Amino acid sequence: LLNPKNEFQFMDSLAIKLDEAYPDTKSIVQLRQQLDEMRALSMGQVAPEIELPNPAGEIVKLSDLRGKYVMIDFWAAWCKPCREENPNVVALYNEYKSKGFEVFGVSLDRTREAWVDAIAEDGLTCLPVLNGKAFLCENERKEEKVPNSPSFKNRVFEKGIVKVVYHPRQNY
């Protein structure tokens, strides 16, 4: 079986040809939608905007960090693998922050209290923001301009362009 993540160029050209030959076929439309989402978050693409509150309640925009190297890290206080990885994220941030590196830590916690407590417990000194929803359905993501977290997680951006896909957590 082909994996669109590993064979993106081939799958993309195949989907275009199939769409031309069989327009409006449901499975081909779905494949094109998946590839379009992958394309939007692939290497070399401009990061989509995310606007979320920080612990002080101020809105922080991902675009405000352009010009820096930015890792987007989706996590939650209730996520054990996330919490176990947080010391590594903090160490990475501390090592490279003087070189323009920033971690945009998007929490999927539903309550502010759990989020703020986890920030304090884990010593998160990077840039934490709260999404406030454990999971987002497609309409919520479009409404709130938050990309699908599984496909958007742990990308490192340079000047707003996707440069590296970082996968620290393997079991979540």
PDB file of all heavy atoms in Angstrom, residues 117-144:
ATOM      1  N   ASP A 117      -1.741  24.746  36.054  1.00  0.00           N
ATOM      2  CA  ASP A 117      -1.052  23.872  37.014  1.00  0.00           C
ATOM      3  C   ASP A 117       0.042  23.060  36.322  1.00  0.00           C
ATOM      4  O   ASP A 117       1.155  22.926  36.850  1.00  0.00           O
ATOM      5  CB  ASP A 117      -2.041  22.930  37.707  1.00  0.00           C
ATOM      6  CG  ASP A 117      -2.955  23.645  38.695  1.00  0.00           C
ATOM      7  OD1 ASP A 117      -2.689  24.827  39.026  1.00  0.00           O
ATOM      8  OD2 ASP A 117      -3.948  23.017  39.130  1.00  0.00           O
ATOM      9  N   ALA A 118      -0.256  22.519  35.141  1.00  0.00           N
ATOM     10  CA  ALA A 118       0.731  21.719  34.415  1.00  0.00           C
ATOM     11  C   ALA A 118       1.914  22.579  33.967  1.00  0.00           C
ATOM     12  O   ALA A 118       3.062  22.113  34.001  1.00  0.00           O
ATOM     13  CB  ALA A 118       0.079  21.053  33.207  1.00  0.00           C
ATOM     14  N   ILE A 119       1.663  23.812  33.562  1.00  0.00           N
ATOM     15  CA  ILE A 119       2.745  24.731  33.178  1.00  0.00           C
ATOM     16  C   ILE A 119       3.700  24.912  34.355  1.00  0.00           C
ATOM     17  O   ILE A 119       4.924  24.816  34.199  1.00  0.00           O
ATOM     18  CB  ILE A 119       2.183  26.091  32.718  1.00  0.00           C
ATOM     19  CG1 ILE A 119       1.452  25.950  31.389  1.00  0.00           C
ATOM     20  CG2 ILE A 119       3.302  27.130  32.595  1.00  0.00           C
ATOM     21  CD1 ILE A 119       0.636  27.170  30.998  1.00  0.00           C
ATOM     22  N   ALA A 120       3.134  25.139  35.537  1.00  0.00           N
ATOM     23  CA  ALA A 120       3.953  25.343  36.738  1.00  0.00           C
ATOM     24  C   ALA A 120       4.689  24.059  37.136  1.00  0.00           C
ATOM     25  O   ALA A 120       5.890  24.082  37.398  1.00  0.00           O
ATOM     26  CB  ALA A 120       3.081  25.832  37.888  1.00  0.00           C
ATOM     27  N   GLU A 121       3.972  22.940  37.156  1.00  0.00           N
ATOM     28  CA  GLU A 121       4.574  21.666  37.560  1.00  0.00           C
ATOM     29  C   GLU A 121       5.712  21.243  36.640  1.00  0.00           C
ATOM     30  O   GLU A 121       6.713  20.705  37.090  1.00  0.00           O
ATOM     31  CB  GLU A 121       3.508  20.564  37.584  1.00  0.00           C
ATOM     32  CG  GLU A 121       2.515  20.697  38.719  1.00  0.00           C
ATOM     33  CD  GLU A 121       1.330  19.744  38.562  1.00  0.00           C
ATOM     34  OE1 GLU A 121       1.413  18.772  37.770  1.00  0.00           O
ATOM     35  OE2 GLU A 121       0.303  19.989  39.230  1.00  0.00           O
ATOM     36  N   ASP A 122       5.545  21.485  35.332  1.00  0.00           N
ATOM     37  CA  ASP A 122       6.542  21.035  34.351  1.00  0.00           C
ATOM     38  C   ASP A 122       7.598  22.093  34.064  1.00  0.00           C
ATOM     39  O   ASP A 122       8.523  21.841  33.291  1.00  0.00           O
ATOM     40  CB  ASP A 122       5.850  20.625  33.048  1.00  0.00           C
ATOM     41  CG  ASP A 122       4.959  19.401  33.224  1.00  0.00           C
ATOM     42  OD1 ASP A 122       4.915  18.835  34.333  1.00  0.00           O
ATOM     43  OD2 ASP A 122       4.298  19.011  32.239  1.00  0.00           O
ATOM     44  N   GLY A 123       7.439  23.283  34.655  1.00  0.00           N
ATOM     45  CA  GLY A 123       8.425  24.344  34.445  1.00  0.00           C
ATOM     46  C   GLY A 123       8.484  24.827  33.012  1.00  0.00           C
ATOM     47  O   GLY A 123       9.560  25.125  32.487  1.00  0.00           O
ATOM     48  N   LEU A 124       7.323  24.903  32.378  1.00  0.00           N
ATOM     49  CA  LEU A 124       7.283  25.335  30.976  1.00  0.00           C
ATOM     50  C   LEU A 124       7.536  26.840  30.892  1.00  0.00           C
ATOM     51  O   LEU A 124       6.676  27.639  31.239  1.00  0.00           O
ATOM     52  CB  LEU A 124       5.937  24.975  30.341  1.00  0.00           C
ATOM     53  CG  LEU A 124       5.637  23.490  30.238  1.00  0.00           C
ATOM     54  CD1 LEU A 124       4.262  23.259  29.640  1.00  0.00           C
ATOM     55  CD2 LEU A 124       6.693  22.774  29.414  1.00  0.00           C
ATOM     56  N   THR A 125       8.713  27.189  30.429  1.00  0.00           N
ATOM     57  CA  THR A 125       9.082  28.599  30.304  1.00  0.00           C
ATOM     58  C   THR A 125       8.937  29.089  28.876  1.00  0.00           C
ATOM     59  O   THR A 125       9.168  30.253  28.600  1.00  0.00           O
ATOM     60  CB  THR A 125      10.540  28.804  30.757  1.00  0.00           C
ATOM     61  OG1 THR A 125      11.380  27.920  29.997  1.00  0.00           O
ATOM     62  CG2 THR A 125      10.695  28.510  32.237  1.00  0.00           C
ATOM     63  N   CYS A 126       8.536  28.192  27.988  1.00  0.00           N
ATOM     64  CA  CYS A 126       8.346  28.596  26.597  1.00  0.00           C
ATOM     65  C   CYS A 126       7.003  29.321  26.467  1.00  0.00           C
ATOM     66  O   CYS A 126       6.454  29.781  27.460  1.00  0.00           O
ATOM     67  CB  CYS A 126       8.432  27.384  25.681  1.00  0.00           C
ATOM     68  SG  CYS A 126       7.339  26.036  26.172  1.00  0.00           S
ATOM     69  N   LEU A 127       6.445  29.410  25.293  1.00  0.00           N
ATOM     70  CA  LEU A 127       5.240  30.185  25.044  1.00  0.00           C
ATOM     71  C   LEU A 127       4.010  29.282  25.039  1.00  0.00           C
ATOM     72  O   LEU A 127       3.635  28.736  24.018  1.00  0.00           O
ATOM     73  CB  LEU A 127       5.373  30.905  23.703  1.00  0.00           C
ATOM     74  CG  LEU A 127       4.272  31.862  23.321  1.00  0.00           C
ATOM     75  CD1 LEU A 127       4.130  32.979  24.350  1.00  0.00           C
ATOM     76  CD2 LEU A 127       4.563  32.464  21.963  1.00  0.00           C
ATOM     77  N   PRO A 128       3.353  29.082  26.208  1.00  0.00           N
ATOM     78  CA  PRO A 128       2.174  28.226  26.240  1.00  0.00           C
ATOM     79  C   PRO A 128       0.915  29.008  25.857  1.00  0.00           C
ATOM     80  O   PRO A 128       0.739  30.153  26.258  1.00  0.00           O
ATOM     81  CB  PRO A 128       2.109  27.773  27.697  1.00  0.00           C
ATOM     82  CG  PRO A 128       2.746  28.886  28.457  1.00  0.00           C
ATOM     83  CD  PRO A 128       3.755  29.527  27.535  1.00  0.00           C
ATOM     84  N   VAL A 129       0.066  28.366  25.061  1.00  0.00           N
ATOM     85  CA  VAL A 129      -1.240  28.947  24.714  1.00  0.00           C
ATOM     86  C   VAL A 129      -2.283  27.860  24.913  1.00  0.00           C
ATOM     87  O   VAL A 129      -1.987  26.670  24.886  1.00  0.00           O
ATOM     88  CB  VAL A 129      -1.271  29.488  23.262  1.00  0.00           C
ATOM     89  CG1 VAL A 129      -0.365  30.701  23.120  1.00  0.00           C
ATOM     90  CG2 VAL A 129      -0.889  28.426  22.248  1.00  0.00           C
ATOM     91  N   LEU A 130      -3.519  28.281  25.128  1.00  0.00           N
ATOM     92  CA  LEU A 130      -4.599  27.338  25.432  1.00  0.00           C
ATOM     93  C   LEU A 130      -5.618  27.314  24.310  1.00  0.00           C
ATOM     94  O   LEU A 130      -6.177  28.342  23.924  1.00  0.00           O
ATOM     95  CB  LEU A 130      -5.302  27.743  26.737  1.00  0.00           C
ATOM     96  CG  LEU A 130      -6.496  26.891  27.156  1.00  0.00           C
ATOM     97  CD1 LEU A 130      -6.075  25.453  27.444  1.00  0.00           C
ATOM     98  CD2 LEU A 130      -7.172  27.498  28.372  1.00  0.00           C
ATOM     99  N   ASN A 131      -5.868  26.098  23.800  1.00  0.00           N
ATOM    100  CA  ASN A 131      -6.909  25.919  22.811  1.00  0.00           C
ATOM    101  C   ASN A 131      -8.253  25.763  23.500  1.00  0.00           C
ATOM    102  O   ASN A 131      -9.260  26.238  23.024  1.00  0.00           O
ATOM    103  CB  ASN A 131      -6.600  24.703  21.930  1.00  0.00           C
ATOM    104  CG  ASN A 131      -7.697  24.425  20.949  1.00  0.00           C
ATOM    105  OD1 ASN A 131      -8.330  25.345  20.464  1.00  0.00           O
ATOM    106  ND2 ASN A 131      -7.946  23.182  20.679  1.00  0.00           N
ATOM    107  N   GLY A 132      -8.276  25.086  24.645  1.00  0.00           N
ATOM    108  CA  GLY A 132      -9.499  24.966  25.427  1.00  0.00           C
ATOM    109  C   GLY A 132     -10.433  23.861  25.004  1.00  0.00           C
ATOM    110  O   GLY A 132     -11.513  23.724  25.550  1.00  0.00           O
ATOM    111  N   LYS A 133     -10.038  23.061  24.039  1.00  0.00           N
ATOM    112  CA  LYS A 133     -10.857  21.934  23.619  1.00  0.00           C
ATOM    113  C   LYS A 133      -9.940  20.738  23.463  1.00  0.00           C
ATOM    114  O   LYS A 133      -8.879  20.832  22.871  1.00  0.00           O
ATOM    115  CB  LYS A 133     -11.549  22.217  22.284  1.00  0.00           C
ATOM    116  CG  LYS A 133     -12.545  23.339  22.387  1.00  0.00           C
ATOM    117  CD  LYS A 133     -13.312  23.493  21.124  1.00  0.00           C
ATOM    118  CE  LYS A 133     -14.325  24.621  21.304  1.00  0.00           C
ATOM    119  NZ  LYS A 133     -15.207  24.749  20.197  1.00  0.00           N
ATOM    120  N   ALA A 134     -10.372  19.610  23.999  1.00  0.00           N
ATOM    121  CA  ALA A 134      -9.530  18.415  23.941  1.00  0.00           C
ATOM    122  C   ALA A 134      -9.332  17.959  22.497  1.00  0.00           C
ATOM    123  O   ALA A 134      -8.251  17.578  22.107  1.00  0.00           O
ATOM    124  CB  ALA A 134     -10.125  17.296  24.771  1.00  0.00           C
ATOM    125  N   PHE A 135     -10.374  18.013  21.712  1.00  0.00           N
ATOM    126  CA  PHE A 135     -10.269  17.625  20.313  1.00  0.00           C
ATOM    127  C   PHE A 135     -11.148  18.553  19.498  1.00  0.00           C
ATOM    128  O   PHE A 135     -12.187  19.005  19.956  1.00  0.00           O
ATOM    129  CB  PHE A 135     -10.722  16.163  20.118  1.00  0.00           C
ATOM    130  CG  PHE A 135      -9.885  15.206  20.901  1.00  0.00           C
ATOM    131  CD1 PHE A 135     -10.327  14.720  22.119  1.00  0.00           C
ATOM    132  CD2 PHE A 135      -8.642  14.813  20.435  1.00  0.00           C
ATOM    133  CE1 PHE A 135      -9.547  13.850  22.859  1.00  0.00           C
ATOM    134  CE2 PHE A 135      -7.852  13.946  21.172  1.00  0.00           C
ATOM    135  CZ  PHE A 135      -8.314  13.462  22.381  1.00  0.00           C
ATOM    136  N   LEU A 136     -10.736  18.819  18.290  1.00  0.00           N
ATOM    137  CA  LEU A 136     -11.507  19.710  17.425  1.00  0.00           C
ATOM    138  C   LEU A 136     -12.069  18.933  16.247  1.00  0.00           C
ATOM    139  O   LEU A 136     -11.347  18.196  15.586  1.00  0.00           O
ATOM    140  CB  LEU A 136     -10.615  20.825  16.879  1.00  0.00           C
ATOM    141  CG  LEU A 136     -10.023  21.788  17.902  1.00  0.00           C
ATOM    142  CD1 LEU A 136      -9.104  22.772  17.197  1.00  0.00           C
ATOM    143  CD2 LEU A 136     -11.110  22.519  18.639  1.00  0.00           C
ATOM    144  N   CYS A 137     -13.339  19.131  15.973  1.00  0.00           N
ATOM    145  CA  CYS A 137     -13.895  18.549  14.763  1.00  0.00           C
ATOM    146  C   CYS A 137     -13.544  19.466  13.595  1.00  0.00           C
ATOM    147  O   CYS A 137     -13.055  20.580  13.781  1.00  0.00           O
ATOM    148  CB  CYS A 137     -15.405  18.366  14.886  1.00  0.00           C
ATOM    149  SG  CYS A 137     -16.345  19.900  14.885  1.00  0.00           S
ATOM    150  N   GLU A 138     -13.793  19.036  12.400  1.00  0.00           N
ATOM    151  CA  GLU A 138     -13.403  19.789  11.203  1.00  0.00           C
ATOM    152  C   GLU A 138     -13.971  21.206  11.198  1.00  0.00           C
ATOM    153  O   GLU A 138     -13.263  22.167  10.930  1.00  0.00           O
ATOM    154  CB  GLU A 138     -13.884  19.038   9.953  1.00  0.00           C
ATOM    155  CG  GLU A 138     -13.422  19.657   8.646  1.00  0.00           C
ATOM    156  CD  GLU A 138     -11.919  19.544   8.430  1.00  0.00           C
ATOM    157  OE1 GLU A 138     -11.294  18.630   8.976  1.00  0.00           O
ATOM    158  OE2 GLU A 138     -11.375  20.401   7.720  1.00  0.00           O
ATOM    159  N   ASN A 139     -15.265  21.368  11.539  1.00  0.00           N
ATOM    160  CA  ASN A 139     -15.873  22.699  11.522  1.00  0.00           C
ATOM    161  C   ASN A 139     -15.247  23.616  12.562  1.00  0.00           C
ATOM    162  O   ASN A 139     -15.043  24.800  12.314  1.00  0.00           O
ATOM    163  CB  ASN A 139     -17.384  22.610  11.746  1.00  0.00           C
ATOM    164  CG  ASN A 139     -18.092  22.039  10.557  1.00  0.00           C
ATOM    165  OD1 ASN A 139     -17.573  22.061   9.437  1.00  0.00           O
ATOM    166  ND2 ASN A 139     -19.261  21.490  10.777  1.00  0.00           N
ATOM    167  N   GLU A 140     -14.944  23.079  13.745  1.00  0.00           N
ATOM    168  CA  GLU A 140     -14.309  23.898  14.787  1.00  0.00           C
ATOM    169  C   GLU A 140     -12.926  24.347  14.343  1.00  0.00           C
ATOM    170  O   GLU A 140     -12.533  25.472  14.582  1.00  0.00           O
ATOM    171  CB  GLU A 140     -14.204  23.111  16.092  1.00  0.00           C
ATOM    172  CG  GLU A 140     -15.536  22.872  16.752  1.00  0.00           C
ATOM    173  CD  GLU A 140     -15.417  21.931  17.931  1.00  0.00           C
ATOM    174  OE1 GLU A 140     -14.671  20.943  17.855  1.00  0.00           O
ATOM    175  OE2 GLU A 140     -16.088  22.195  18.932  1.00  0.00           O
ATOM    176  N   ARG A 141     -12.165  23.457  13.708  1.00  0.00           N
ATOM    177  CA  ARG A 141     -10.823  23.827  13.251  1.00  0.00           C
ATOM    178  C   ARG A 141     -10.920  24.972  12.248  1.00  0.00           C
ATOM    179  O   ARG A 141     -10.156  25.916  12.291  1.00  0.00           O
ATOM    180  CB  ARG A 141     -10.112  22.632  12.618  1.00  0.00           C
ATOM    181  CG  ARG A 141      -9.609  21.639  13.619  1.00  0.00           C
ATOM    182  CD  ARG A 141      -8.559  20.741  13.032  1.00  0.00           C
ATOM    183  NE  ARG A 141      -8.843  20.209  11.731  1.00  0.00           N
ATOM    184  CZ  ARG A 141      -9.441  19.058  11.488  1.00  0.00           C
ATOM    185  NH1 ARG A 141      -9.842  18.300  12.473  1.00  0.00           N
ATOM    186  NH2 ARG A 141      -9.636  18.640  10.255  1.00  0.00           N
ATOM    187  N   LYS A 142     -11.878  24.884  11.320  1.00  0.00           N
ATOM    188  CA  LYS A 142     -12.027  25.945  10.309  1.00  0.00           C
ATOM    189  C   LYS A 142     -12.455  27.246  10.969  1.00  0.00           C
ATOM    190  O   LYS A 142     -11.942  28.303  10.649  1.00  0.00           O
ATOM    191  CB  LYS A 142     -13.032  25.515   9.241  1.00  0.00           C
ATOM    192  CG  LYS A 142     -12.476  24.469   8.306  1.00  0.00           C
ATOM    193  CD  LYS A 142     -13.511  24.024   7.307  1.00  0.00           C
ATOM    194  CE  LYS A 142     -12.955  22.920   6.429  1.00  0.00           C
ATOM    195  NZ  LYS A 142     -13.957  22.324   5.572  1.00  0.00           N
ATOM    196  N   GLU A 143     -13.427  27.154  11.893  1.00  0.00           N
ATOM    197  CA  GLU A 143     -13.925  28.337  12.595  1.00  0.00           C
ATOM    198  C   GLU A 143     -12.834  29.020  13.395  1.00  0.00           C
ATOM    199  O   GLU A 143     -12.692  30.228  13.393  1.00  0.00           O
ATOM    200  CB  GLU A 143     -15.025  27.911  13.575  1.00  0.00           C
ATOM    201  CG  GLU A 143     -16.394  28.357  13.199  1.00  0.00           C
ATOM    202  CD  GLU A 143     -17.395  27.792  14.195  1.00  0.00           C
ATOM    203  OE1 GLU A 143     -17.252  28.040  15.409  1.00  0.00           O
ATOM    204  OE2 GLU A 143     -18.317  27.106  13.742  1.00  0.00           O
ATOM    205  N   GLU A 144     -12.063  28.221  14.111  1.00  0.00           N
ATOM    206  CA  GLU A 144     -11.080  28.777  15.026  1.00  0.00           C
ATOM    207  C   GLU A 144      -9.705  28.949  14.399  1.00  0.00           C
ATOM    208  O   GLU A 144      -8.775  29.399  15.041  1.00  0.00           O
ATOM    209  CB  GLU A 144     -10.963  27.872  16.258  1.00  0.00           C
ATOM    210  CG  GLU A 144     -12.267  27.824  17.019  1.00  0.00           C
ATOM    211  CD  GLU A 144     -12.155  27.023  18.289  1.00  0.00           C
ATOM    212  OE1 GLU A 144     -11.048  26.884  18.818  1.00  0.00           O
ATOM    213  OE2 GLU A 144     -13.192  26.545  18.751  1.00  0.00           O
TER     214      GLU A 144
END
